[in-house]
Amino acid sequence: MKVIYHPRYEEVYSGDPAAAAGRMESILKEVSPHFEQVTPEPAAVDDISLVHSNEHIRDIQRSGLTYEVALLAAGGAIKAAELAISGEPAFGLIRPPGHHASQDHCWGFCFFNNMAISISRLRKEGKIRAAVILDIDLHFGDGTDNIFQSVPEVVYFHPEGRDRREFVDVISQFLASAKADVVAVSAGFDRHDHDWGGLLKTEDYDAIGALVKRFAQRVCRGRRYGVLEGGYNHDVLGMNVRALLEGMS
Ligand SMILES: [Zn+2]
């Protein structure tokens, strides 16, 4: 398992909680002793255009710093996807997040849809046909859902559960019948019991990661990767990311 990271992800590019000072550092402290790091390149505008309209890209360009960091985040997702296809599980420890970014608008601390861009590039290059995107963030990834609405080969799944056991069971049941050439996790950690959602324990992220690994090994030659979405309590975020990565490893 390799972790894709760039020091520019630490820049406070806006005033939202995903861009908060110290957020990335709190994760890095937990994961960097255990996982080798890979530095990404910024995504090219051509990559962003696989998913977003020119008008939307121009809107984000006007924001300057946010645009620069958002290109690097998309580049980090692309790198994670490429590693996964080459047989190396990977995690994009990136920000800003992306799952609320649709073709021509965005909200919820997102600008470009990192996950959708990475999947679309793999498809454009003919490296995959079908994909499963498992979004474990507290919030529904309307952007990812919109982007792949008319693409039956790419299945977006956002589990819900009344308690932590049911949440993990719902993922397990979904994966039991899913088919894909790669599995990708939109990894938000805001469902943790010390974050906004108040549902999952740290060990549940390990269990979810292990389900993803088993699915990948059974169905798609082990090809699996994740990218960071939400997660806002810096006191627990790092250990939750680490638990997911250990499960996926
Ligand atoms: Zn969220």
Side-chain angles (χ1 to χ4, degrees):
M1 169 68 73
K2 295 218 165 98
V3 167
I4 321 303
Y5 190 74
H6 197 290
R8 290 206 66 189
Y9 298 146
E10 292 166 25
E11 291 186 32
V12 179
Y13 51 84
S14 81
D16 69 60
R23 179 169 177 256
M24 302 308 273
E25 294 89 328
S26 74
I27 304 171
L28 202 59
K29 199 174 75 178
E30 276 286 334
V31 304
S32 63
H34 308 283
F35 300 97
E36 192 188 322
Q37 274 174 50
V38 176
T39 307
E41 300 290 325
V45 174
D46 279 353
D47 297 324
I48 308 294
S49 297
L50 293 172
V51 160
H52 295 289
S53 65
N54 292 337
E55 198 180 17
H56 180 70
I57 295 170
R58 275 196 298 273
D59 273 353
I60 308 301
Q61 268 168 348
R62 284 188 208 104
S63 65
L65 174 61
T66 298
Y67 177 68
E68 290 173 26
V69 186
L71 285 184
L72 262 179
I78 289 170
K79 188 77 192 166
E82 283 172 348
L83 283 169
I85 295 306
S86 73
E88 175 80 53
F91 185 80
L93 182 49
I94 61 178
R95 78 174 184 185
H99 72 155
H100 296 306
S102 292
Q103 290 92 332
D104 52 11
H105 61 94
C106 61
W107 68 289
F109 327 145
C110 297
F111 303 94
F112 295 140
N113 196 311
N114 307 311
M115 175 59 81
I117 291 164
S118 68
I119 291 285
S120 298
R121 215 179 103 139
L122 290 179
R123 279 168 51 78
K124 185 191 126 195
E125 293 181 335
K127 291 177 175 166
I128 62 160
R129 202 179 68 84
V132 158
I133 300 169
L134 172 65
D135 187 339
I136 59 169
D137 194 274
L138 172 62
H139 305 98
F140 181 72
D142 57 309
T144 315
D145 187 55
N146 286 337
I147 288 163
F148 294 117
Q149 196 105 78
S150 58
V151 183
E153 295 87 1
V154 180
V155 174
Y156 172 80
F157 184 65
H158 183 255
E160 289 286 355
R162 282 163 300 186
D163 55 46
R164 49 189 283 248
R165 179 167 300 186
E166 188 179 81
F167 185 81
V168 176
D169 279 350
V170 165
I171 294 173
S172 177
Q173 282 160 28
F174 165 73
L175 291 176
S177 60
K179 291 274 174 285
D181 303 313
V182 68
V183 55
V185 184
S186 259
F189 296 89
D190 40 4
R191 210 182 276 269
H192 187 258
D193 66 353
H194 295 304
D195 208 306
W196 296 353
L199 191 78
L200 298 179
K201 303 271 188 213
T202 297
E203 69 214 59
D204 297 326
Y205 292 103
D206 192 316
I208 293 165
L211 287 174
V212 169
K213 177 186 176 180
R214 276 205 295 280
F215 169 81
Q217 289 177 332
R218 182 170 60 80
V219 171
C220 51
R221 289 187 273 159
R223 293 157 153 190
R224 58 197 185 275
Y225 70 100
V227 299
L228 182 67
E229 302 284 0
Y232 305 105
N233 181 347
H234 302 186
D235 293 338
V236 294
L237 183 54
M239 65 183 191
N240 292 336
V241 174
R242 182 179 161 190
L244 180 76
L245 298 196
E246 283 172 349
M248 283 179 75
S249 290

